[in-house]
């Protein structure tokens, strides 16, 4: 009877399956207690999961697992089916962290007893594929789906139903990864033929496969075929008496809603979305990830149906749930997984911003919600990295710190392996893929062990009203954000907007929009940079484009705290020149923040004080070449030697302990070995390779490593021998020998007690701009490394003028203790002597005291 129940469940005849299960249960009750260990639990829970009776399934599985562990031990093969079902249930309910732990436990038992080519292992790999798909990691999901298919086909034969299931899942994930490929359709039809051979064309399994085919048609834009195919599947489910609350009907309603949406039948789409939402709420709850995604999709339908207010109402709830997800799921994820998970719904926050701006005249309170969301999400991934390191190093837990050091060591091994050939990797017995898996597993353990995001102080919700209350009378806050025009999907037309707040603000923040965002990000940022570099006079063009609209709401003399986005990360506002010849520097002091939470952490007192002593490390004038050849890409910096000499005397006169690293001593290792100096001053070239330059490389690297794709590997600092290293055509070659410390490596520097890092050479502030996360480059890396504040450069700088600027800055800082005011006044003094912004405007300060 158990076998009969399993058969009926597999072909979708759930009524007969339950009848057989009840008969099996009656016989089971007559057995002795010693022989009975919930023998029907897997079949019952599997049936209940298929019928969306999750509470019943959970109760049975929990009881079964405890009984099996007690009688059979913790590593019995009988545990794997129970563990797999528990994992499946957790994935369906959105408990991703618990699901992953359960899958790994099942995998470990399977590998130990049967090996990693067994059907037992394939079952857990299938669940891992589901988990990766939910977390947005499609490439890893495809790897797992391919593995499951290979094992099942080998073990069961090409015509088995489980092979059809594997083909189906592989097809869907391949479609997701490459919507133009013809292979997914071929795989789905192959699966349909297998199911037809085994069960005929009227089984629930055949209908489930038709649903996948409908997804494929919808993904390829063949909407009529998609609609007809999903209707065919619904007809089969209805004849099979599938419960109306079954997940298949909910998924079908959601799919039909998307079809109607893209057919511009928005009212029909809204009605179908509502049906799907009711089903998901009944089956799961209103906080389930799929429910929340459907809320966001329905909001789009309302917007396209010219009802932005109703769309806004749904998006308010959706975005709040998304924020809850980050708190709930981030601790169980590695950094790469956090990135992919966050990217799944980042666009929904952008859509919310569009709605808030669109409805701001009637619903001005929505602008406050935008600011709240931006404070919760801007720099979210950067914030998680900083908190992780701080919690570990402050934990005083030797095992945790040892694991952290092992994590860093393995990351360095992967970096060193990037430039090696296949043969060299084999010879050195290095497996980059295995190393990266270890790295991610260690990182997850570190994140969970340090209870990232679980401390109440970290999770405290802050709002724009908290910010307004904190603002001083002469302080103005400018929150810059970026969104795109929307027409069924996001277009490539960009709008920049700013929310402006002060003590004098009335009920809600002021809104300013700048509609020509695409032009700002292309020709006008180039125009701005060229005007600075070539000392041209732009007659107020850049000022009018980038700043005039914001400035119209802010008086002269105000302190402007601003959080940039997109192209505004590539500009120093101080350098913008009005048509009257005055610069922003002349009218306002501007302070760059990565997130306005930083302002909320400021002390109320502005008291300054003379800094008596500390430890300074002065790094500059490295020997870039064994023998310099004129015309080489990295020019020597003899002027930095004078800069270091001047600063050495200045610090020593103030009683500081000073370490000077120049010429042959200015090496990569000398920076990596530093132990939290109070001040780290680095006068050397910055290194940056744009994504488009990387794409043109002819690299022989054998690995398609995720780490190799990290933008932090394309920026860094050039140290001793770096000129010789950078003669190589491939950016990956910089990892094979000492000479460039990349931003990726700089994240692991020990700067936990470092007050300020000053990067006084050329273009050290460059990197890859990522919306919502700022610039992936040295500035990000050094903040993760622990520095409180940093000064970086956006342009190439003049050695002699930089020496003067640094002398003035440090002299003032050592006297007053205020980094921000000292740099601001030093710039103004340099500007009195050298008016062009190339001499003083390259320097940007990040962080607050």
């Amino acid at each position: 009877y158990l076998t009969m129940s399993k058969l009926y469940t597999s072909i979708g005849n759930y009524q007969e399956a339950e009848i057989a299960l009840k008969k099996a249960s009656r016989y089971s009750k007559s057995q002795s207690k010693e022989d009975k260990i919930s023998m029907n639990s897997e079949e019952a829970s599997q049936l209940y999961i298929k019928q969306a009776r999750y509470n019943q399934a959970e109760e049975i599985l929990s009881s079964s697992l405890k009984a099996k562990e007690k009688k059979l031990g913790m590593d019995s093969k009988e545990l794997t089916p129970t563990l797999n079902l528990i994992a499946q249930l957790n994935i369906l309910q959105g408990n991703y962290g618990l699901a992953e732990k359960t899958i790994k436990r099942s995998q470990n038992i399977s590998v130990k007893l049967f090996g990693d080519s067994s059907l037992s292992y394939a079952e857990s790999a299938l669940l891992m594929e589901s988990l990766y798909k939910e977390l947005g990691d499609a490439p890893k999901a495809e790897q797992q789906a391919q593995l499951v298919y290979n094992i099942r086909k080998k073990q069961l034969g090409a015509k088995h139903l489980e092979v059809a299931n594997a083909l189906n899942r592989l097809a869907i994930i391949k479609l997701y990864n490459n919507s133009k490929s013809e292979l997914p359709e071929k795989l789905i039809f192959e699966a349909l033929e297998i199911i037809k051979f085994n069960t005929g064309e009227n089984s629930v399994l055949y209908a489930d496969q038709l649903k996948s085919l409908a997804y494929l048609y919808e993904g390829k834009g063949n909407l009529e075929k998609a609609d007809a195919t999903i209707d065919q599947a619904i007809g089969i489910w209805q004849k099979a008496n599938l419960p109306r609350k079954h997940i298949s009907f909910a998924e079908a309603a959601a799919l039909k809603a998307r079809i109607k949406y893209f057919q511009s039948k928005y009212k029909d789409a809204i009605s179908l979305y509502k049906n799907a939402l009711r089903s998901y709420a009944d089956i799961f709850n209103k906080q389930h990830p799929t429910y929340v995604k459907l809320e966001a999709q329905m909001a789009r339908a309302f917007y396209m149906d010219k009802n932005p207010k109703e769309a806004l109402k749904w998006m308010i709830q959706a975005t709040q749930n998304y924020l809850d997800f980050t708190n709930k799921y981030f601790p169980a994820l590695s950094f790469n997984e956090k990135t992919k998970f966050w990217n799944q719904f980042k666009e929904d926050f952008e859509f919310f911003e569009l709605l808030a701006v669109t409805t701001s005249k009637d619903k001005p309170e929505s602008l406050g919600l935008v600011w709240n969301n931006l404070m919760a999400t801007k720099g979210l991934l950067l914030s998680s990295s900083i908190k992780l390191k701080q919690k570990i190093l402050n934990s005083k837990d030797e095992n945790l710190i040892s694991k952290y050091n092992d994590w860093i060591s393995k990351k360095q091994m992967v970096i060193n392996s990037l430039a090696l050939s296949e043969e060299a990797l084999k010879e050195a017995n290095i497996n980059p893929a295995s190393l990266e898996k270890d790295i991610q597993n260690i990182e997850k353990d570190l994140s969970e062990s340090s209870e990232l995001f679980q401390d109440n102080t970290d999770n405290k919700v802050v709002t724009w009203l908290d910010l307004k209350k904190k603002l001083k009378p002469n302080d103005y806050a400018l929150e810059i954000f970026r969104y795109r025009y929307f027409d069924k999907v996001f277009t490539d037309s960009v709008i920049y907007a700013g929310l402006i707040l002060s003590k004098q603000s009335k009920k809600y923040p002021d809104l300013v929009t700048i509609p020509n965002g695409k032009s700002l990000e292309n020709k006008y940022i180039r125009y701005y940079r060229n005007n600075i570099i070539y000392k041209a006079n732009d007659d107020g063009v850049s000022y009018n484009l980038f700043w005039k609209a914001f400035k119209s709401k802010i008086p002269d003399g105000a302190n402007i705290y601003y959080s940039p986005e997109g192209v505004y990360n590539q500009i120093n506002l101080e350098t913008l020149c009005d048509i009257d010849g005055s610069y922003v520097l002349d009218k306002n002091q501007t302070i760059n923040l990565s997130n306005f939470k930083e302002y909320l952490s400021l002390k109320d007192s502005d008291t300054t004080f003379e800094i008596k002593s500390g430890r300074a490390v002065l790094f500059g004038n490295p020997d870039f070449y064994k023998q310099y050849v004129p015309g080489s890409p990295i020019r020597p910096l003899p002027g930095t030697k004078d800069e270091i000499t001047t600063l050495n005397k200045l610090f020593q006169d103030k009683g500081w302990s000073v370490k000077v690293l120049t010429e042959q001593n200015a090496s990569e290792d000398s920076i990596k070995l530093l132990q939290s100096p109070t001040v780290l001053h680095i006068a050397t070239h910055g290194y940056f390779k744009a994504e488009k330059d990387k794409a043109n490389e002819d690299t022989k690297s054998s690995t398609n490593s995720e780490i190799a794709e990290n933008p932090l590997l394309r920026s860094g600092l050039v140290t001793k021998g770096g000129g010789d290293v950078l003669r190589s055509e491939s950016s990956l070659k910089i990892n094979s020998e000492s000479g460039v410390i990349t931003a990726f490596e700089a994240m692991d520097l020990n700067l936990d007690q470092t007050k300020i890092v000053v990067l006084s050479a050329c273009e050290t502030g460059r990197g890859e701009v990522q919306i919502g996360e700022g610039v992936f480059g040295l500035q990000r890396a050094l903040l993760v490394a622990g520095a409180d504040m940093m000064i970086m450069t956006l342009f190439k700088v003049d050695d002699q003028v930089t020496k003067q600027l640094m002398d003035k800055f440090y002299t003032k800082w050592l006297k007053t203790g205020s980094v921000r005011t000292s740099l601001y006044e030093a710039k103004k003094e340099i500007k009195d002597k050298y008016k062009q912004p190339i001499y003083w405007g390259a320097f940007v300060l990040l962080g607050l005291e």
Side-chain angles (χ1 to χ4, degrees):
Y1 281 115
L2 284 171
T3 304
M4 187 70 77
S5 175
K6 188 172 184 179
L7 171 62
Y8 281 133
T9 299
S10 71
I11 63 175
N13 192 338
Y14 301 136
Q15 276 187 315
E16 291 295 336
E18 190 156 12
I19 291 169
L21 191 64
K22 286 177 180 176
K23 290 181 179 179
S25 182
R26 285 200 295 270
Y27 284 108
S28 172
K29 288 175 183 176
S30 67
Q31 293 189 343
S32 66
K33 291 182 179 180
E34 288 76 13
D35 295 331
K36 185 177 73 172
I37 306 176
S38 304
M39 63 179 292
N40 62 340
S41 62
E42 275 75 47
E43 285 74 14
S45 56
Q46 196 164 39
L47 175 61
Y48 292 152
I49 288 171
K50 289 277 189 181
Q51 294 177 306
R53 293 155 65 180
Y54 299 126
N55 289 337
Q56 289 170 275
E58 186 173 5
E59 186 178 333
I60 291 173
L61 288 169
S62 177
S63 175
S64 175
L65 183 63
K66 288 177 183 176
K68 286 184 176 183
E69 287 174 340
K70 184 176 180 180
K71 184 167 183 69
L72 303 174
M74 302 301 285
D75 293 319
S76 168
K77 67 178 183 179
E78 299 297 333
L79 267 61
T80 57
T82 308
L83 290 168
N84 288 339
L85 285 166
I86 290 171
Q88 182 184 353
L89 194 58
N90 278 308
I91 292 170
L92 286 168
Q93 294 176 316
N95 300 321
Y96 301 136
L98 186 56
E100 183 173 26
K101 289 179 180 177
T102 310
I103 295 168
K104 285 186 174 179
R105 184 180 172 191
S106 175
Q107 283 182 328
N108 290 337
I109 295 172
S110 295
V111 170
K112 182 178 178 181
L113 299 178
F114 309 112
D116 59 5
S117 297
S118 63
L119 288 172
S120 178
Y121 187 82
E123 290 302 314
S124 54
L126 189 74
L127 291 163
M128 196 63 86
E129 177 245 309
S130 295
L131 180 62
Y132 283 137
K133 195 156 60 174
E134 289 296 318
L135 294 175
D137 197 336
K140 284 187 179 177
E142 183 173 341
Q143 287 175 3
Q144 296 296 313
Q146 186 69 57
L147 175 64
V148 172
Y149 170 68
N150 293 344
I151 293 174
R152 284 183 173 177
K153 186 177 181 182
K154 181 178 178 181
Q155 301 284 2
L156 300 172
K159 289 291 186 180
H160 198 282
L161 281 174
E162 295 294 350
V163 174
N165 173 268
L167 276 169
N168 172 46
R169 299 175 75 99
L170 183 59
I172 293 300
I173 197 64
K174 280 185 177 290
L175 175 69
Y176 185 86
N177 284 335
N178 183 3
S179 60
K180 294 181 179 179
S181 171
E182 298 299 322
L183 183 58
E185 188 169 0
K186 180 183 175 184
L187 295 177
I188 287 178
F189 276 109
E190 187 179 340
L192 276 168
E193 287 301 312
I194 296 171
I195 295 171
K196 182 179 177 182
F197 173 80
N198 281 280
T199 70
E201 297 183 40
N202 294 311
S203 71
V204 170
L205 291 182
Y206 195 82
D208 290 344
Q209 192 63 35
L210 288 174
K211 179 183 67 177
S212 296
L213 184 60
Y215 278 127
L216 181 141
Y217 287 143
E218 187 263 338
K220 288 182 173 291
N222 196 335
L223 302 178
E224 289 184 6
K225 265 191 173 183
D227 205 18
T229 304
I230 195 62
D231 281 343
Q232 186 183 350
I234 290 171
I236 296 172
W237 291 327
Q238 288 172 337
K239 286 180 182 177
N241 293 319
L242 222 61
R244 289 303 305 171
K245 287 185 180 181
H246 194 274
I247 187 67
S248 293
F249 288 119
E251 290 173 343
L255 176 57
K256 284 182 70 67
R258 284 201 304 278
I259 292 168
K260 299 302 180 187
Y261 175 82
F262 285 109
Q263 288 176 328
S264 301
K265 299 175 181 178
Y266 302 120
K267 285 183 170 52
D268 291 343
I270 290 166
S271 177
L272 285 162
Y273 275 127
K274 286 181 177 178
N275 288 341
L277 284 164
R278 278 194 293 270
S279 295
Y280 272 99
D282 289 339
I283 297 168
F284 302 107
N285 54 60
K286 292 185 178 181
Q287 285 72 46
H288 189 274
T290 305
Y291 183 93
V292 180
K293 290 173 187 175
L294 288 174
E295 283 183 311
Q297 290 175 25
M298 187 163 74
R300 284 164 163 75
F302 274 118
Y303 178 76
M304 293 306 298
D305 198 40
K306 304 190 186 313
N307 192 346
K309 291 181 184 177
E310 188 66 19
L312 179 68
K313 183 180 81 173
W314 286 96
M315 283 308 303
I316 288 172
Q317 185 60 44
T319 51
Q320 183 54 55
N321 280 320
Y322 283 141
L323 293 176
D324 291 341
F325 292 166
T326 63
N327 290 331
K328 183 177 180 181
Y329 302 133
F330 265 39
L333 305 178
S334 70
F335 180 80
N336 283 334
E337 288 171 342
K338 285 174 183 146
T339 303
K340 289 170 182 174
F341 183 66
W342 171 239
N343 285 342
Q344 285 188 97
F345 42 83
K346 189 166 68 171
E347 277 194 350
D348 287 332
F349 282 87
E350 182 181 0
F351 185 64
F352 175 73
E353 291 161 7
L354 177 149
L355 290 174
V357 172
T358 302
T359 60
S360 59
K361 286 186 179 178
D362 297 323
K363 297 273 186 181
E365 64 271 20
S366 62
L367 297 177
L369 297 178
V370 169
W371 204 318
N372 295 348
N373 285 347
L374 289 168
M375 283 199 289
T377 62
K378 245 188 187 181
L380 177 65
L381 301 173
L382 170 63
S383 172
S384 72
S385 297
I386 293 173
K387 288 177 183 177
L388 174 62
K389 183 172 182 178
Q390 287 174 343
K391 284 177 178 287
I392 291 167
L393 296 181
N394 294 334
S395 69
K396 297 182 181 178
D397 182 328
E398 291 184 6
N399 290 330
L400 191 61
I401 293 171
S402 174
K403 189 177 287 187
Y404 176 76
N405 291 330
D406 183 37
W407 177 56
I408 292 173
S409 175
K410 281 186 165 64
K411 285 201 296 179
Q412 187 62 52
M413 285 176 67
V414 172
I415 292 171
N416 292 339
S417 73
L418 294 178
L420 298 180
S421 66
E422 196 77 53
E423 294 76 17
L425 288 171
K426 285 181 180 177
E427 188 176 331
N429 196 27
I430 295 174
N431 184 336
S434 177
L435 269 175
E436 287 197 43
K437 188 175 180 180
D438 287 346
I439 288 166
Q440 292 214 5
N441 288 336
I442 294 172
E443 189 178 346
K444 289 179 186 182
D445 288 343
L446 289 170
S447 187
E448 287 187 280
S449 298
S450 62
E451 298 181 337
L452 183 62
F453 284 118
Q454 292 176 19
D455 186 308
N456 289 333
T457 58
D458 288 344
N459 278 337
K460 182 183 177 183
V461 176
V462 293
T463 73
W464 69 276
L465 291 170
D466 297 318
L467 181 61
K468 182 179 179 182
K469 185 177 179 181
K470 176 83 173 181
L471 285 170
K472 296 178 181 178
N474 199 39
D475 290 352
Y476 278 68
L478 168 60
E479 180 71 87
I480 300 174
F481 59 102
R482 171 195 188 272
Y483 62 93
R484 290 166 291 170
Y485 284 107
F486 187 86
D487 185 9
K488 282 190 186 173
V489 296
F490 281 108
T491 70
D492 62 355
S493 298
V494 175
I495 305 100
Y496 276 90
L499 297 173
I500 300 171
L501 188 66
S502 71
K503 273 281 195 233
Q504 296 74 41
S505 294
K506 295 181 181 177
K507 203 167 183 183
Y508 299 105
D510 284 324
L511 172 69
V512 173
T513 58
I514 301 177
N516 58 334
K518 195 74 174 175
S519 297
L520 294 183
E521 294 177 347
N522 291 284
K523 65 179 180 179
Y524 290 122
I525 187 61
R526 292 195 297 271
Y527 179 85
Y528 162 78
R529 287 181 62 84
N530 287 337
N531 271 283
I532 299 285
I533 293 167
Y534 298 112
K535 306 175 187 177
N537 183 0
D538 76 350
D539 297 320
V541 174
S542 296
Y543 182 96
N544 289 337
L545 289 167
F546 289 100
W547 187 240
K548 186 175 181 180
F550 295 142
K551 183 63 171 71
S552 67
K553 303 283 185 179
I554 304 172
D556 291 350
N559 298 319
I560 305 173
Y561 291 84
Y562 72 101
S563 179
E565 181 61 281
V567 71
Y568 283 86
N569 284 290
Q570 300 171 274
I571 289 173
N572 182 356
L573 296 180
E574 297 170 329
T575 63
L576 297 174
C577 183
D578 201 352
I579 195 168
D580 64 3
S582 64
Y583 289 90
V584 172
L585 181 77
D586 301 320
K587 297 178 179 179
N588 299 97
Q589 188 173 174
T590 57
I591 303 96
N592 186 324
L593 307 177
S594 60
N595 189 306
F596 267 102
K597 285 181 181 178
E598 295 174 44
Y599 188 92
L600 290 171
S601 68
L602 278 174
K603 294 178 181 177
D604 291 327
S605 173
D606 272 340
T607 305
T608 59
F609 53 89
E610 185 174 1
I611 297 177
K612 298 295 184 183
S613 64
R615 292 188 304 114
V617 173
L618 309 177
F619 180 103
N621 191 31
D623 287 339
F624 296 127
Y625 300 94
K626 291 177 181 175
Q627 185 172 356
Y628 175 66
V629 178
S632 295
I634 300 294
R635 63 181 177 83
L637 295 171
T640 63
K641 184 177 181 180
D642 295 336
E643 180 181 329
I644 296 297
T645 300
T646 300
L647 295 180
N648 184 23
K649 183 177 185 307
L650 177 64
F651 279 110
Q652 287 194 357
D653 287 348
K654 289 289 185 178
W656 279 54
S657 169
V658 183
K659 185 174 187 177
V660 174
L661 299 169
T662 59
E663 299 168 342
Q664 285 295 305
N665 293 322
S667 66
E668 181 177 333
D669 286 342
S670 67
I671 293 182
K672 289 181 176 179
L673 293 172
L674 294 177
Q675 297 294 314
S676 285
T678 314
V679 171
L680 174 57
H681 183 95
I682 301 177
T684 185
H685 286 295
Y687 157 78
F688 174 69
K689 184 179 282 290
E691 175 70 21
K692 61 183 177 61
D693 297 328
K694 172 186 167 291
N696 295 327
E697 289 177 358
D698 179 22
T699 177
K700 296 180 181 178
S701 174
S702 62
T703 179
N704 57 358
S705 157
E706 281 191 342
I707 287 181
E709 298 303 312
N710 196 312
L712 295 177
L713 280 177
R714 300 199 303 275
S715 62
L717 293 168
V718 187
T719 63
K720 184 191 81 171
D724 291 322
V725 171
L726 289 173
R727 281 176 173 150
S728 165
E729 292 182 3
S730 170
S731 62
L732 296 182
K733 295 293 184 183
I734 67 174
N735 304 295
S736 61
E737 55 186 289
S738 179
V740 176
I741 179 167
T742 64
F744 187 85
E745 294 170 293
M747 284 194 298
D748 298 323
L749 296 178
N750 187 345
L751 303 178
D752 224 37
Q753 305 298 320
T754 299
K755 175 70 177 174
I756 184 167
V757 176
V758 178
L759 305 175
S760 78
C762 302
E763 300 182 301
T764 50
R766 294 192 66 191
E768 184 174 299
V769 176
Q770 296 199 1
I771 303 305
E773 282 294 318
V775 179
F776 272 63
L778 280 168
Q779 53 179 287
R780 178 189 186 88
L782 293 168
L783 291 173
V784 172
D788 290 340
M789 307 177 76
M790 63 174 298
I791 296 172
M792 60 182 189
T793 57
L794 294 178
F795 315 109
K796 292 182 179 179
V797 294
D798 181 280
D799 288 358
Q800 293 304 315
V801 179
T802 297
K803 174 189 168 186
Q804 296 175 49
L805 177 65
M806 289 295 126
D807 187 16
K808 291 177 182 294
F809 160 67
Y810 280 116
T811 300
K812 293 175 184 295
W813 175 58
L814 290 170
K815 185 176 181 180
T816 67
S818 172
V819 174
R820 174 164 60 89
T821 303
S822 298
L823 182 63
Y824 178 66
E825 291 179 355
K827 285 181 180 180
K828 295 192 80 168
E829 289 182 18
I830 291 294
K831 180 179 169 293
D832 289 341
K833 190 174 180 182
Y834 306 96
K835 184 178 180 181
Q836 293 292 344
I838 188 63
Y839 296 110
W840 47 268
F843 295 90
V844 178
L845 174 66
L846 293 181
L848 291 176
E849 291 157 286

